[in-house]
Each structure stands twice: as structure tokens, then as C-alpha cells.
Amino acid sequence: MRQKPTILDRRIVATSRLFCVEELQLRFSNGVERTYERLASKGAGYGAVMIVAMLDADHAVLVEEYCGGTDAYELSLPKGLIEPGEDVLAAAERELKEEAGFGARQLEHLTELSLSPGYMSQKIQVVLATDLYEERLEGDEPEAMRVEKVNLGELWALAQNPQFTEGRALAALYLARDLLTQRGAYLP
């Protein structure tokens, strides 16, 4: 296993309401020194959760919401921040109810994914939700989210949809489909 670089200095160089930019002065094991910047969550952060919620054996829930990063309405999986004192599965249940109007009788943590680990520290927990039932909680979204469904057999077509661009969501859907196929719960 490779030796991680030594952190010579670290400081916050910019902040906003949600993020801070941290500058790291690093020395690698071969003596080379470099400055890296990374986008970090402001404060301690409790992480985030993304839910692959299965309506039936073939279809998962998608939600449409405005995304400031792309300045567009995007389709993705229900997701959100984990609140202080909340575990991953409880956060998944809450976010699913707030964003899509469903609860789940079965929740299973699948994996953890990152987005642009070269400059972002955030990671998201992927949860599989099955045996859904209708239940809505009021969330912090500024407007109601439109709910759609996607057939797990049509992920290639979904990836071509200009309104669906989030790589983590696509990875989560493929992981869930493969797991359900292995279990015999999804038969393409």
C-alpha cells in the first residue's frame, strides 16, 4: 500500500454558506511538494444518502428537481443530507418520504460513492429501498418534485437522456440492478 502524502499545511481559502475551499500543502514520499485544493462541506457534516427505491421488480423511482450546479431541472434518485443523530437508513426513509412520497418496509445499505474525489471530500451512502408504500413528509424542498419511474432494463437509454446527468445515480442504479439480478429479484 502506498504511503499517503504528508500534510505540511492546511487552510481555508474561501467559504460560502454551504462549502469551504481548503488548500493543502502536501509532500509526497518521493519528496515532491504540491498544493491541492478541495471542496469540503462546511462544518462537521454527517454525510448524505441516495436511495434506489424499487416500485416493483423492474422499476425504480426518479425525482425531478432544480439543480443549481447545472441551472436545469434534472432527473435523479431521491437523496439528501443525513441529519445529526440520524443513521443512514433512517435518513434514507425520511428523504424518500420527503422527495418521492414513499416509505419503504425494507431498506438495505449497498455502498458508499464519491463524486470527483480529486477535489471533493463528500461521499454519499447508497441505499436500496423495497416494499414501498405511499407516505409523504414535508421536506425542505422549495417546490414539489415530479416523480417518474425508470425500468432497470433501460438504463442505457436513461444515460442518453439530457435531463439525467448524475453519474452517482447511474452507478447506483446499475449496482442495484446487478444485486437484484443476482438475488433473482430482477429478471431482465
Side-chain angles (χ1 to χ4, degrees), residues 74-147:
E74 301 261 349
L75 289 170
S76 190
L77 294 171
K79 60 187 169 300
L81 296 176
I82 299 171
E83 295 180 355
E86 193 174 45
D87 71 21
V88 170
L89 299 182
E93 176 83 358
R94 178 183 49 75
E95 287 293 341
L96 184 59
K97 289 176 181 178
E98 289 176 0
E99 294 193 356
F102 289 102
R105 291 180 187 88
Q106 296 290 325
L107 294 161
E108 178 182 356
H109 181 257
L110 297 184
T111 193
E112 178 179 81
L113 297 174
S114 64
L115 177 66
S116 301
Y119 67 92
M120 293 177 72
S121 62
Q122 292 89 358
K123 295 183 178 181
I124 198 160
Q125 306 302 317
V126 178
V127 172
L128 176 64
T130 55
D131 197 8
L132 303 185
Y133 58 92
E134 289 187 25
E135 184 176 339
R136 179 163 298 281
L137 290 177
E138 187 172 332
D140 59 359
E141 291 75 21
E143 60 186 0
M145 295 179 156
R146 186 169 59 87
V147 177

